[in-house]
Amino acid sequence: MSASATPTAQLPPAILLLGPTASGKTMAAIEIARRFPVELISVDSAQVFRGMDIGTAKPDAATLAAFPHRLIDLISPEESYSAARFRVDALAAMAAATMRGRVPLLVGGTMLYFKALCEGLAELPAADPATRARIDDEAATRGWPALHAELAAVDPATAARLHSTDAQRIQRALEVFRLSGQPLSRLIAASRQAAPPYRLLAIGLVPSERAVLHRRIAERFDAMLAAGLEGEVESLRARYRLHGGLPSMRCVGYRQVWEVQNGLAPRSQLRDRGIYASRQLAKRQITWLGNSLRPQVIDCLAPDLPGSLDRLLGPFLD
């Protein structure tokens, strides 16, 4: 997974622990930390927000005191955080851990962040409203299949993976080409030369029974509501200037509470909507694991999960 000229065996080790929501990633990471000299680094786009503790399943103060996690509580809910900023912060945290003689253990469920870390990020032109408006006008006149054919002429690799009516992605690919003169596929391929200078072991915690994961998701959301998730959102609203478009308030759980508190959804539906959104998130995360990140998979429901982790990590860290 490294593009470095340094032989892989000479690179320092780092561990990636990925999995869907409610798969037990934090507990597994702590078990690893009890057994191996690791330093925990969070890979969670919601846990970066200060004050958002209940709905993000952030480790409690006692756990963080015993097992510190880097990249938690970085910004206020009024701010935004990006995959690009995560990559910079994560590489810095990894380097610091290595300098201290520890092995970076990156744990979380934000799959885009893992992908950005491992493959780099394409330097794409920013969205341009005028260019997008022209593409929309052309689509209204000619239709998206015609624009898809135009994309195929300048960027066949991108066009091949898009349906001829996938308006949002066709528009973005044409926008990138018109602004940069470069196919989107070429820019993305160039970004993949920036793998981190580490010997990586990626472990995916994936449930063997989806129904059990769904039950865990429901139980966890019920626990969040019982712990005061609605009150947490009320407190955040009193402390910060928030609106529904902020990344913090679009996080699963927070979005559903926000909609209830703003009269956009009945409170009687809060539990079902929150559980459904969590299930959809888990489905997307599992898809990422299978189609893009491709870690070594361990059943997170296995009774001997610590033993399975030991059998992978022992030889890797030896």
Side-chain angles (χ1 to χ4, degrees):
M1 298 179 73
S2 174
S4 170
T6 305
T8 301
Q10 296 180 21
L11 294 172
I15 305 161
L16 312 180
L17 186 63
L18 318 82
T21 185
S23 60
K25 297 181 294 295
T26 298
M27 291 181 62
I30 288 172
E31 284 302 313
I32 293 172
R34 295 184 195 278
R35 292 170 164 80
F36 299 97
V38 299
E39 190 162 308
L40 303 180
I41 301 170
S42 172
V43 187
D44 192 303
S45 61
Q47 292 184 359
V48 299
F49 295 112
R50 291 189 293 269
M52 292 175 53
D53 303 329
I54 297 172
T56 65
K58 194 176 294 179
D60 59 28
T63 300
L64 291 175
F67 302 96
H69 287 52
R70 311 300 174 191
L71 307 191
I72 282 181
D73 292 336
L74 298 181
I75 60 175
S76 85
E78 297 172 314
E79 300 175 85
S80 296
Y81 196 75
S82 67
R85 180 173 169 186
F86 166 78
R87 191 172 199 273
V88 171
D89 290 346
L91 287 172
M94 293 169 75
T98 301
M99 288 291 291
R100 288 189 283 267
R102 313 290 286 182
V103 176
L105 169 55
L106 293 97
V107 54
T110 302
M111 304 305 170
L112 176 61
Y113 285 9
F114 279 113
K115 186 174 178 64
L117 175 68
C118 294
E119 298 183 1
L121 290 163
E123 295 186 7
L124 304 179
D128 181 73
T131 300
R132 291 193 169 190
R134 286 193 293 272
I135 294 171
D136 282 338
D137 289 343
E138 293 173 27
T141 302
R142 300 163 53 200
W144 285 108
L147 291 184
H148 182 263
E150 178 182 324
L151 177 65
V154 298
D155 188 355
T158 298
R161 63 180 178 81
L162 300 181
H163 192 275
S164 62
T165 57
D166 191 342
Q168 180 179 352
R169 291 179 175 82
I170 293 170
Q171 181 192 61
R172 179 55 176 159
L174 283 174
E175 177 189 37
V176 167
F177 181 78
R178 294 182 184 184
L179 291 174
S180 69
Q182 298 288 321
L184 175 63
S185 58
R186 184 180 302 167
L187 294 175
I188 291 175
S191 75
R192 291 175 179 163
Q193 303 303 311
Y198 286 87
R199 179 168 53 94
L200 298 174
L201 173 63
I203 302 172
L205 299 181
V206 179
S208 54
E209 297 182 53
R210 195 71 62 93
V212 178
L213 181 68
H214 288 174
R215 185 167 67 246
R216 283 188 178 185
I217 286 171
E219 291 171 351
R220 188 166 79 160
F221 195 72
D222 284 340
M224 289 176 177
L225 291 175
L229 177 58
E230 293 174 88
E232 181 173 81
V233 176
E234 291 174 356
S235 175
L236 292 169
R237 298 180 70 153
R239 293 170 57 195
Y240 301 105
R241 296 169 61 88
L242 302 179
H243 58 81
L246 287 169
S248 59
M249 292 300 105
R250 294 203 304 268
C251 292
V252 170
Y254 292 90
R255 180 174 184 171
Q256 287 70 40
V257 172
W258 178 275
E259 290 171 346
V260 166
Q261 292 183 351
N262 282 274
L264 302 174
R267 191 182 183 285
S268 60
Q269 295 180 8
L270 173 58
R271 178 182 183 272
D272 289 344
R273 287 164 60 87
I275 292 172
Y276 177 78
S278 299
R279 285 186 177 187
Q280 292 300 107
L281 172 61
K283 182 179 179 180
R284 292 192 299 272
Q285 291 167 317
I286 292 172
T287 299
W288 267 92
L289 287 170
N291 294 347
S292 181
L293 298 170
R294 301 181 185 278
Q296 297 194 45
V297 172
I298 292 180
D299 180 9
C300 64
L301 306 178
D304 187 31
L305 178 58
S308 298
L309 292 169
D310 282 354
R311 286 188 287 275
L312 270 179
L313 293 171
F316 178 72
L317 298 177
D318 191 4

